[in-house]
Amino acid sequence: MTTKKLLTAFLFLLFFCENTKAQTYEKKIDSLILTGFGNQNEPGGAFMVSKNGKTIYRKAFGKANLELDANMTPDHVFQIGSMTKQFTAVTILMLEQQGKLNVGDPISKYIKDYPSR
């Protein structure tokens, strides 16, 4: 077998394995999300999962607007206001409890390009 054919076969195998892994992730994530968003005629949500900075899953389910019968899309913009502050606070405290951060540290320790005053 020539080097070119061997390289082509290797790249095909690599692509096939990665593609199969991605499909497995997609099926698992779909099944988890569809337990709560299985009815496509109810209010929906948009979901994204990333690994090492690369998006491995991005989908939307259900309706963005029931009155207009508009489907949710992954690009939908949500007006959430201040609803997430308490979740962020609890998450930070859990990370501190696990020894992964210290609330007394400057934020630039964890977000390197955070602007300084």
Side-chain angles (χ1 to χ4, degrees):
M1 184 178 272
T2 68
T3 304
K4 187 175 181 180
K5 287 183 180 179
L6 188 59
L7 182 60
T8 303
F10 174 74
L11 290 174
F12 173 77
L13 254 155
L14 184 65
F15 174 76
F16 179 76
C17 289
E18 280 300 312
N19 197 28
T20 303
K21 192 187 310 181
Q23 289 173 350
T24 302
Y25 282 136
E26 184 174 349
K27 287 179 184 177
K28 286 180 181 178
I29 296 168
D30 277 351
S31 69
L32 288 171
I33 292 171
L34 289 173
T35 59
F37 292 91
N39 186 341
Q40 293 297 301
N41 293 313
E42 292 180 350
F47 303 88
M48 184 179 87
V49 177
S50 63
K51 183 177 180 180
N52 298 326
K54 182 180 177 187
T55 300
I56 59 172
Y57 183 89
R58 187 173 183 263
K59 283 187 178 179
F61 300 90
K63 299 290 181 190
N65 187 311
L66 297 176
E67 292 175 15
L68 300 175
D69 194 36
N71 291 327
M72 184 69 67
T73 69
D75 297 318
H76 189 86
V77 176
F78 295 88
Q79 296 183 10
I80 58 174
S82 295
M83 288 178 24
T84 60
K85 288 179 182 171
Q86 65 265 20
F87 299 108
T88 304
V90 169
T91 302
I92 288 170
L93 292 174
M94 289 172 69
L95 289 170
E96 182 178 46
Q97 197 172 42
Q98 295 169 11
K100 295 182 179 178
L101 63 77
N102 183 325
V103 295
D105 289 339
I107 195 166
S108 58
K109 179 176 179 180
Y110 304 101
I111 304 173
K112 299 298 179 200
D113 58 349
Y114 191 81
S116 61
R117 290 183 181 185

